[in-house]
Structure formats: structure tokens, C-alpha cells
Amino acid sequence: MPSVLDQIIDGVREDLAGREARTPLERLRRQCDGLPAPRDAEALLRRPGLSVIAEVKRSSPSKGALSDIPDPAALASAYAAGGATAISVLTEQRRFGGSLADLEAVRAAVDVPVLRKDFIVTEYQVWEARAHGADIVLLIVAALDDRRLSDLMALAGSLGLTCLVEVHDEAEATRAVDAGASVIGVNNRNLKTLDVDIETFARIAPLIPASCVRVAESGVRGPEEAAVFARAGADAILVGEALVVGGDPEAGVRSMIAAGEQA
């Protein structure tokens, strides 16, 4: 039986085929001509203290609907006002309710780096990210073989994009390091089962060289978890659900940054 990740990627490929038919790759590449250079997200994530990558997230496969988010630009602006180092925007539609329009709206509203968070498996999607204003792309090791991972990293790098390379076990961490990833996210959620184990980051972080930016993903419910991940060696945390349901996204970001400083 296909895993949850496999099912999501099947849907992503179906939706991608429609976009490719409407906008051929050459036209997409021309749209990138003359765009401002992407922001150097990696340099910002390396600054002292715990960085927060705050996420525009309407729903998830594990929890269903989380928040309507009628104005993603306003939410992103609140995150930035709270001190978020970067804004993550879900662009996968079927399971997460996101879109490239959300990405464009957020890009127009904030000056901090923006992450296109999706299930990227083709070069076309990397060009899409650049064309719609992303500075960072997510590459999930579990969804890619070594050759495709390296090819997508190389393309993203040539476009000036930062790669957030996501792993969720020891073998994937080794693959990410061997591929030359410099920003590595440890997802405490197993995308094949959707189970969350917040001990995953502490277990895998020692396998990631100190020269890399280490990002803890999933399971951050508030300042307490932010502090736990900071003590375990996280340079940044990626937070979605806790911020979109918490009622005060600006204060939520501030509290997590403060917890990281205290840790």
C-alpha cells in the first residue's frame, strides 16, 4: 500500500501536469529574467539566536482544516513583525490548501526570505518557485533519489535559491550531508505515517555537521518545545500549526524566539 508521502506526490504530479500544459518551461524561465536576486536566507539563518521560520498553513493531512487564512499577506506581515527570520508558504493544494498565489501574496508583503514549501520532485517546480518569488525551496530526501536530489540542489543553487533539505531518519541525514546540503531540516513527523516524535531531532542532529544550519520541523507547540529544540542544537525551528491556531501570530513568534534565547 502506498505511503501517505507517495499518495501526496501522486497528486502533486497530476496537478503539476496541468500547470506545465498551461505554462511551458521556456515561458516560465523567461518569467525569471530580470527578477531581483533572491535573499540570502542561509546567512540570515546563521545569525545568533533561535530563528523562527513561520508558516502560512491552512490545513494538513494529519489534522485537516486548521485556519481559513483569508489574507496570507497579513499573516506573513504579523510573523515578520514578530521577528520571524523567514516565512514558509505551503503551495500544495490538495492536502494543505495552499497555492502559488499565496506565495506571490506573501512575497509582495514582506522583505524577509520566503520558502516555497511543497513536494518538489521536478526541475519545473524549482523554476516555479523562483518565478513566483521564493528565496528558499524545500527538498524532501524521502521523496528523491540521490541523483535527483543533487540535480535539484544544483539547479536551485544556480538560481540563487537556498535549499532546505529535509530528513526524518539517520539514513536520510547521511544522504543530505553527502549531497552537500548546508541547511538541513529534521522533520519530527514521519511523512510516511504522519506520526510525530519530538525526540527525532535530538537523535539525528549529531549526525549533521556543525557547519550546517540545523532546522527542527514539526512538533513545536509553543515556547517550551522551542527551548527544547534550541538546547538540542537547533539553529531554527519551522512552525505552522501552533501559530495559525494560536490567535496572536506576532506574539507567538516573539515568545518562541525569546524561549530560544533563554535556552
Side-chain angles (χ1 to χ4, degrees):
M1 180 177 178
S3 69
V4 175
L5 178 61
D6 291 334
Q7 293 173 42
I8 291 173
I9 290 175
D10 285 345
V12 164
R13 288 187 181 278
E14 288 181 17
D15 294 340
L16 176 60
R19 297 198 303 277
E20 287 179 307
R22 291 189 297 272
T23 308
L25 177 59
E26 284 307 311
R27 188 191 308 170
L28 190 66
R29 293 174 68 171
R30 288 196 298 271
Q31 291 176 11
C32 296
D33 292 341
L35 290 178
R39 292 151 180 81
D40 189 347
E42 181 175 339
L44 295 175
L45 291 169
R46 289 186 180 279
R47 294 183 304 185
L50 182 70
S51 294
V52 173
I53 304 171
E55 192 158 83
V56 176
K57 184 176 186 178
R58 289 190 172 89
S59 63
S60 74
S62 60
K63 295 289 184 69
L66 298 172
S67 176
D68 287 339
I69 312 182
D71 190 347
L75 177 58
S77 296
Y79 287 156
T85 298
I87 311 297
S88 171
V89 183
L90 263 304
T91 59
E92 197 279 334
Q93 183 174 6
R94 297 189 183 201
R95 303 293 186 100
F96 294 89
S99 69
L100 288 165
D102 286 349
L103 181 63
E104 289 189 336
V106 169
R107 168 73 293 149
V110 299
D111 290 327
V112 299
V114 176
L115 162 68
R116 182 193 183 180
K117 193 175 183 197
D118 208 319
F119 298 80
I120 292 178
V121 291
T122 71
E123 293 186 351
Y124 185 93
Q125 292 165 289
V126 177
W127 282 101
E128 270 186 328
R130 176 74 175 111
H132 291 274
D135 308 286
I136 317 168
V137 289
L138 179 73
L139 299 178
I140 302 172
V141 172
L144 304 165
D145 61 28
D146 289 344
R147 176 66 180 272
R148 181 47 58 98
L149 174 62
S150 294
D151 287 349
L152 293 177
M153 287 176 61
L155 174 60
S158 73
L159 297 177
L161 301 173
T162 296
C163 294
L164 171 57
V165 180
E166 179 180 295
V167 307
H168 79 273
D169 63 23
E170 290 82 352
E172 290 175 8
T174 299
R175 289 178 57 204
V177 172
D178 289 347
S182 56
V183 181
I184 299 179
V186 177
N187 197 340
N188 296 292
R189 184 186 304 280
N190 184 331
L191 290 179
K192 296 180 179 179
T193 64
L194 300 184
D195 294 333
V196 174
D197 177 3
I198 64 169
E199 301 297 327
T200 302
F201 179 84
R203 191 180 75 244
I204 294 175
L207 301 177
I208 301 172
S211 58
C212 296
V213 175
R214 300 167 178 166
V215 183
E217 306 174 23
S218 299
V220 185
R221 295 186 295 271
E224 181 179 344
E225 289 80 17
V228 168
F229 288 129
R231 286 193 292 267
D235 301 295
I237 52 175
L238 193 154
V239 192
E241 179 182 341
L243 292 173
V244 299
V245 303
D248 190 338
E250 180 178 341
V253 171
R254 288 190 190 281
S255 68
M256 292 180 190
I257 293 171
E261 290 177 353
Q262 293 170 5

